[in-house]
Amino acid sequence: MDLYTYYRSTSSYRVRIALALKGLDYRAVPVNLIRDGGEHRQASYLALNPQGRVPTLTTDEGEQIIQSPAILEYIEERYPDVPLLPTDPLARARHRSVAALIGCDIHPLHNVAVLNRLRSLDVGEEQVMAWIAHWVGEGLKAVEALIGDEGYCFGEPGMADVYLLPQLYAARRFNVPLDSYSRILRVERLALAHPAFHTAHPDAQPDKPE
Amino acid sequence: MDLYTYYRSTSSYRVRIALALKGLDYRAVPVNLIRDGGEHRQASYLALNPQGRVPTLTTDEGEQIIQSPAILEYIEERYPDVPLLPTDPLARARHRSVAALIGCDIHPLHNVAVLNRLRSLDVGEEQVMAWIAHWVGEGLKAVEALIGDEGYCFGEPGMADVYLLPQLYAARRFNVPLDSYSRILRVERLALAHPAFHTAHPDAQPDKPE
């Protein structure tokens, strides 16, 4: 498998965690979103991913899959060892509710394309930061109410954690206060000490600038 | 099952299509997002859904599931007759890529909470409409490149169509031009003539105002 990835892309980071938790080998292909106006906008990348975003997964058969939620479900179905989802449908839904809340209602509102669009509307930098804090805060408050009292989000590391850790990395990058989320902070402490989450972290990526 | 729904909510509409395609009975519980400052903000609803959004599904066992992507995967796993996803992992990923592109990168950028937030930043109404047209247009252009040349998005009606039709309803509501998406328009024509899509349509809901 090849994973087209950018070190601090939230959605690339999700896929890296899943691959690391499952112990799967893959080739990381860095896509620099900054250099030369963004390698994700070049024709060679658009041929793989018509949306022009990271990540993209190339399967062992040479097929491309775009969008991290689709990539994650594919990896889970294709490589079921070390499952990211439990077997009971309701327990699976608990993980996916947290995943979707983060993947739909938090992250898309502060990705780089949206922030640049806001800036183009003459929204000042202070208001852009308040926009980020609003959506991250409102979303994490709901996540805090949904997750459990012990271990990772729902006990063992799983799909909910795959989404939560990258979101927390982004929250810290934007200085969003996290002190009131004691369950979330418990999960973060556990994950940051876990080798798979460590391997997948932006700071551990070869394409991170010096 | 009980589905907490609002007639023109894009994500409620997705779940209604899935339930109708599978021929599943459910009780629709209308949640009026406008009246009295929004029934979704009332304590009785927040007890079911801490995020305060629609839809929420109450299962036959009385458990709540929030977030339409999680509800849809639950329905698919729990009621596998009339599948919304094919059996091959790559073919499933194709459906889920379109679903995630719409569910993460189009719809969340024009939901009512986001538009109201934009307006609170003194972004004028013309710019709000341009914001919607930008994200819907960019997203649908990628969807057009991803879907197939015959039938629904990928042949038989499935998960990708469950997401696409509500997005097209929203696009038309906001007067976003759709003329250049010939594959998408083909899918829309087929679906609007299909009884399940018809039953699930906002215009067919009892909570639609006169």
Side-chain angles (χ1 to χ4, degrees):
Chain A
M1 284 184 286
D2 292 347
L3 180 68
Y4 293 79
T5 171
Y6 181 57
Y7 76 104
R8 71 179 179 190
S9 141
T10 303
S11 45
S12 301
Y13 183 7
R14 290 175 196 155
V15 178
R16 295 196 305 258
I17 296 171
L19 292 167
L21 282 169
K22 286 176 178 287
L24 294 169
D25 278 333
Y26 67 100
R27 186 171 71 112
V29 185
V31 181
N32 192 309
L33 304 188
I34 310 292
R35 195 165 53 211
D36 300 333
E39 293 174 355
H40 58 301
R41 295 208 183 87
Q42 294 173 3
S44 57
Y45 188 71
L46 290 169
L48 299 175
N49 182 329
Q51 197 188 4
R53 300 213 179 170
V54 287
T56 302
L57 185 81
T58 299
T59 69
D60 288 340
E61 293 76 32
E63 300 281 349
Q64 276 75 42
I65 303 176
I66 75 163
Q67 283 285 338
S68 64
I71 295 170
L72 290 166
E73 294 278 354
Y74 172 84
I75 292 171
E76 175 70 355
E77 293 180 348
R78 182 77 192 272
Y79 305 99
D81 290 348
V82 195
L84 302 176
L85 291 168
T87 52
D88 173 64
L90 182 65
R92 294 164 74 83
R94 296 269 177 266
H95 274 273
R96 286 175 172 141
S97 292
V98 170
L101 200 161
I102 294 170
C104 301
D105 290 334
I106 305 182
H107 171 245
L109 294 166
H110 70 64
N111 72 27
V112 63
V114 168
L115 299 186
N116 286 341
R117 197 88 196 161
L118 272 182
R119 291 180 181 115
S120 79
L121 296 175
D122 286 334
V123 173
E125 205 53 29
E126 199 173 316
Q127 287 186 309
V128 170
M129 290 299 129
W131 167 279
I132 296 169
H134 173 77
W135 298 115
V136 175
E138 190 176 74
L140 290 183
K141 189 176 157 195
V143 170
E144 177 78 6
L146 292 170
I147 65 177
D149 280 325
E150 280 176 37
Y152 287 80
C153 286
F154 299 105
E156 294 299 307
M159 194 66 90
D161 309 291
V162 161
Y163 281 74
L164 181 57
L165 267 287
Q167 187 56 62
L168 295 176
Y169 171 80
R172 291 191 181 283
R173 196 177 139 213
F174 292 123
N175 295 313
V176 178
L178 299 174
D179 296 347
S180 55
Y181 310 123
S182 62
R183 291 167 166 173
I184 287 173
L185 291 175
R186 178 201 75 225
V187 173
E188 187 186 42
R189 273 193 305 274
L190 285 171
L192 290 180
H194 187 302
F197 286 89
H198 182 80
T199 303
H201 194 279
D203 291 346
Q205 303 316 301
D207 62 323
K208 191 192 172 185
E210 294 295 322
Chain B
M1 285 183 284
D2 292 346
L3 180 67
Y4 293 79
T5 170
Y6 182 57
Y7 77 104
R8 70 179 178 191
S9 142
T10 303
S11 44
S12 302
Y13 183 7
R14 289 175 197 157
V15 178
R16 294 195 306 256
I17 295 171
L19 291 167
L21 282 169
K22 286 176 177 287
L24 294 169
D25 278 333
Y26 68 99
R27 186 172 70 112
V29 185
V31 180
N32 192 309
L33 305 187
I34 310 292
R35 196 166 51 211
D36 300 334
E39 293 175 354
H40 59 302
R41 295 207 183 88
Q42 294 173 4
S44 58
Y45 187 71
L46 290 169
L48 300 175
N49 182 327
Q51 199 190 3
R53 299 212 179 171
V54 288
T56 303
L57 184 81
T58 300
T59 69
D60 288 340
E61 293 75 32
E63 300 281 347
Q64 276 74 43
I65 304 176
I66 76 164
Q67 283 284 339
S68 65
I71 294 170
L72 291 165
E73 293 278 355
Y74 172 85
I75 292 171
E76 176 71 356
E77 292 180 348
R78 182 76 191 273
Y79 306 99
D81 291 348
V82 194
L84 302 176
L85 291 168
T87 51
D88 172 63
L90 181 66
R92 295 164 72 83
R94 296 269 177 264
H95 275 273
R96 286 177 173 139
S97 293
V98 170
L101 199 160
I102 294 170
C104 301
D105 290 333
I106 306 181
H107 172 245
L109 295 167
H110 70 63
N111 74 26
V112 64
V114 168
L115 299 186
N116 286 340
R117 196 89 196 161
L118 271 181
R119 292 180 181 116
S120 78
L121 296 176
D122 287 335
V123 173
E125 205 54 29
E126 199 172 318
Q127 286 185 310
V128 170
M129 290 300 128
W131 167 280
I132 296 169
H134 173 76
W135 298 115
V136 174
E138 188 176 78
L140 290 183
K141 189 176 159 196
V143 169
E144 177 79 6
L146 292 169
I147 66 178
D149 280 326
E150 280 177 35
Y152 288 80
C153 287
F154 299 103
E156 294 299 307
M159 194 66 89
D161 310 289
V162 161
Y163 280 75
L164 181 58
L165 266 287
Q167 187 57 60
L168 295 176
Y169 172 80
R172 291 193 180 280
R173 197 179 139 212
F174 292 123
N175 295 313
V176 178
L178 299 174
D179 296 347
S180 55
Y181 311 123
S182 62
R183 292 166 167 174
I184 287 173
L185 291 174
R186 176 202 75 224
V187 174
E188 186 186 43
R189 274 193 304 275
L190 286 170
L192 290 180
H194 187 301
F197 287 89
H198 182 80
T199 303
H201 194 279
D203 290 347
Q205 303 315 302
D207 62 321
K208 189 189 174 189
E210 292 297 323

